[in-house]
Amino acid sequence: MWPILTTAGWTYVRDEHGHELAEHPDGIMQLRRWNTARNWNPGWNASALLPDGLGGLEALWEADLGNAPHLVAAFATALVNPAPVARAEFDVPHSGLVTQKQGGRQAEDLAKEHTARLARARATAVRRRTTLTTQPVTSPTPAAPAAAGPRR
Protein backbone atom coordinates (compact mmCIF):
# COMPACT_ATOMS: atom_id res chain seq x y z
CA MET A 1 0.00 0.00 0.00
CA TRP A 2 2.77 2.46 0.85
CA PRO A 3 4.43 2.06 -2.59
CA ILE A 4 1.24 3.41 -4.21
CA LEU A 5 1.78 6.68 -2.35
CA THR A 6 5.58 6.90 -2.52
CA THR A 7 5.52 6.28 -6.28
CA ALA A 8 3.28 9.35 -6.53
CA GLY A 9 5.82 11.49 -4.63
CA TRP A 10 4.50 11.14 -1.08
CA THR A 11 7.01 10.85 1.77
CA TYR A 12 6.94 7.78 3.99
CA VAL A 13 8.26 7.46 7.54
CA ARG A 14 8.20 4.57 9.99
CA ASP A 15 9.20 5.38 13.55
CA GLU A 16 10.84 3.20 16.21
CA HIS A 17 7.41 2.09 17.52
CA GLY A 18 6.26 0.86 14.11
CA HIS A 19 3.87 3.77 13.50
CA GLU A 20 3.77 4.65 9.80
CA LEU A 21 3.00 7.95 8.09
CA ALA A 22 2.76 8.94 4.43
CA GLU A 23 2.35 12.61 3.57
CA HIS A 24 1.42 14.38 0.35
CA PRO A 25 4.23 16.61 -1.00
CA ASP A 26 2.36 19.81 -0.13
CA GLY A 27 1.50 18.54 3.37
CA ILE A 28 -2.28 18.78 3.04
CA MET A 29 -2.98 15.04 3.10
CA GLN A 30 -1.74 12.30 5.43
CA LEU A 31 -2.30 8.58 5.72
CA ARG A 32 -1.24 6.97 9.03
CA ARG A 33 -1.13 3.51 10.51
CA TRP A 34 -0.68 3.17 14.26
CA ASN A 35 1.01 0.07 15.58
CA THR A 36 -0.34 -0.28 19.08
CA ALA A 37 -2.67 -2.59 20.94
CA ARG A 38 -3.75 0.32 23.18
CA ASN A 39 -5.16 2.29 20.25
CA TRP A 40 -8.98 1.98 20.18
CA ASN A 41 -8.92 1.67 16.40
CA PRO A 42 -5.75 0.02 15.17
CA GLY A 43 -5.48 0.47 11.44
CA TRP A 44 -5.27 3.26 8.94
CA ASN A 45 -6.41 6.85 9.33
CA ALA A 46 -6.52 9.47 6.57
CA SER A 47 -6.83 13.20 7.05
CA ALA A 48 -6.95 16.32 4.91
CA LEU A 49 -5.19 19.23 6.59
CA LEU A 50 -5.19 22.99 6.17
CA PRO A 51 -2.94 25.62 7.72
CA ASP A 52 -4.56 27.00 10.87
CA GLY A 53 -2.95 30.44 10.53
CA LEU A 54 -0.83 29.87 13.65
CA GLY A 55 1.89 27.78 12.04
CA GLY A 56 0.09 24.47 12.57
CA LEU A 57 -2.43 22.38 10.70
CA GLU A 58 -6.09 21.67 11.36
CA ALA A 59 -7.98 18.67 10.03
CA LEU A 60 -10.51 19.54 7.36
CA TRP A 61 -11.76 15.94 7.50
CA GLU A 62 -10.59 12.59 8.81
CA ALA A 63 -11.47 9.02 7.92
CA ASP A 64 -10.80 5.85 9.90
CA LEU A 65 -10.24 3.13 7.33
CA GLY A 66 -10.06 0.18 9.70
CA ASN A 67 -7.63 -2.62 9.15
CA ALA A 68 -8.57 -3.80 5.64
CA PRO A 69 -5.50 -3.55 3.38
CA HIS A 70 -7.53 -3.88 0.16
CA LEU A 71 -9.75 -0.94 1.18
CA VAL A 72 -6.75 1.19 2.09
CA ALA A 73 -5.02 0.32 -1.20
CA ALA A 74 -8.13 1.36 -3.16
CA PHE A 75 -8.36 4.59 -1.14
CA ALA A 76 -4.67 5.35 -1.74
CA THR A 77 -5.06 4.65 -5.46
CA ALA A 78 -7.95 7.13 -5.61
CA LEU A 79 -5.91 9.73 -3.69
CA VAL A 80 -3.03 9.68 -6.16
CA ASN A 81 -5.23 9.55 -9.27
CA PRO A 82 -4.49 12.78 -11.19
CA ALA A 83 -7.86 12.82 -12.97
CA PRO A 84 -10.09 15.74 -12.03
CA VAL A 85 -12.96 15.09 -9.65
CA ALA A 86 -16.38 16.20 -10.86
CA ARG A 87 -18.05 18.54 -8.39
CA ALA A 88 -20.92 20.96 -8.56
CA GLU A 89 -20.00 24.62 -8.79
CA PHE A 90 -19.46 26.14 -5.33
CA ASP A 91 -19.45 22.63 -3.82
CA VAL A 92 -15.77 22.83 -2.91
CA PRO A 93 -14.77 23.83 0.60
CA HIS A 94 -11.92 26.34 0.72
CA SER A 95 -12.42 26.99 -2.99
CA GLY A 96 -9.52 29.44 -2.99
CA LEU A 97 -7.17 26.46 -2.79
CA VAL A 98 -8.42 24.80 -5.98
CA THR A 99 -9.02 25.71 -9.59
CA GLN A 100 -12.41 24.79 -10.97
CA LYS A 101 -13.01 24.36 -14.70
CA GLN A 102 -16.20 23.52 -16.50
CA GLY A 103 -16.10 20.00 -17.75
CA GLY A 104 -18.53 17.58 -19.25
CA ARG A 105 -22.01 18.48 -20.30
CA GLN A 106 -23.52 21.50 -18.60
CA ALA A 107 -27.07 21.95 -17.34
CA GLU A 108 -28.19 23.92 -20.39
CA ASP A 109 -27.01 21.16 -22.73
CA LEU A 110 -28.68 18.47 -20.62
CA ALA A 111 -31.96 20.44 -20.59
CA LYS A 112 -31.89 20.82 -24.40
CA GLU A 113 -31.21 17.10 -24.85
CA HIS A 114 -34.06 16.23 -22.47
CA THR A 115 -36.48 18.54 -24.33
CA ALA A 116 -35.47 16.94 -27.65
CA ARG A 117 -36.06 13.44 -26.20
CA LEU A 118 -39.52 14.47 -24.98
CA ALA A 119 -40.38 15.94 -28.41
CA ARG A 120 -39.27 12.72 -30.15
CA ALA A 121 -41.34 10.63 -27.72
CA ARG A 122 -44.43 12.81 -28.35
CA ALA A 123 -43.95 12.59 -32.13
CA THR A 124 -43.63 8.81 -31.91
CA ALA A 125 -46.81 8.57 -29.82
CA VAL A 126 -48.74 10.75 -32.31
CA ARG A 127 -47.48 8.65 -35.24
CA ARG A 128 -48.61 5.46 -33.51
CA ARG A 129 -52.07 6.86 -32.72
CA THR A 130 -52.45 8.20 -36.27
CA THR A 131 -51.36 4.91 -37.80
CA LEU A 132 -53.83 2.97 -35.66
CA THR A 133 -56.81 5.22 -36.46
CA THR A 134 -56.23 5.86 -40.20
CA GLN A 135 -55.59 2.37 -41.47
CA PRO A 136 -58.66 0.88 -43.16
CA VAL A 137 -60.33 -1.86 -41.24
CA THR A 138 -60.48 -4.98 -43.34
CA SER A 139 -62.51 -7.97 -42.46
CA PRO A 140 -61.13 -11.30 -43.29
CA THR A 141 -62.55 -12.90 -46.43
CA PRO A 142 -64.87 -15.73 -45.45
CA ALA A 143 -63.47 -19.09 -46.31
CA ALA A 144 -65.09 -20.88 -49.19
CA PRO A 145 -67.22 -23.79 -48.08
CA ALA A 146 -65.57 -27.12 -48.41
CA ALA A 147 -66.56 -28.99 -51.48
CA ALA A 148 -69.09 -31.58 -50.75
CA GLY A 149 -67.84 -35.00 -51.49
CA PRO A 150 -69.89 -38.04 -52.26
CA ARG A 151 -72.24 -39.01 -49.48
CA ARG A 152 -72.12 -42.49 -48.26
Side-chain angles (χ1 to χ4, degrees):
M1 198 285 308
W2 301 113
I4 294 169
L5 299 171
T6 57
T7 300
W10 289 47
T11 58
Y12 169 78
V13 177
R14 181 182 171 112
D15 70 12
E16 65 276 1
H17 302 290
H19 306 311
E20 298 170 283
L21 169 72
E23 189 172 50
H24 187 271
D26 64 11
I28 65 166
M29 190 73 208
Q30 292 182 346
L31 192 60
R32 296 179 296 278
R33 182 157 194 251
W34 304 110
N35 183 24
T36 176
R38 292 182 292 152
N39 189 349
W40 67 272
N41 186 14
W44 283 274
N45 174 274
S47 57
L49 308 165
L50 288 177
D52 64 7
L54 303 172
L57 297 170
E58 66 176 300
L60 180 61
W61 59 260
E62 289 188 68
D64 288 317
L65 303 174
N67 205 9
H70 65 285
L71 172 64
V72 177
F75 185 82
T77 300
L79 283 177
V80 300
N81 185 343
V85 176
R87 295 185 187 271
E89 188 175 13
F90 308 114
D91 191 27
V92 178
H94 304 283
S95 59
L97 300 174
V98 297
T99 301
Q100 287 191 285
K101 297 179 184 177
Q102 281 191 348
R105 300 180 322 182
Q106 300 302 306
E108 300 83 31
D109 298 331
L110 295 172
K112 287 177 189 174
E113 290 173 20
H114 182 65
T115 302
R117 279 193 305 275
L118 290 174
R120 285 193 305 273
R122 275 190 228 108
T124 300
V126 167
R127 257 193 328 275
R128 285 184 183 150
R129 278 194 303 271
T130 305
T131 301
L132 291 174
T133 59
T134 60
Q135 287 187 354
V137 177
T138 57
S139 57
T141 308
R151 293 184 138 206
R152 296 191 188 167

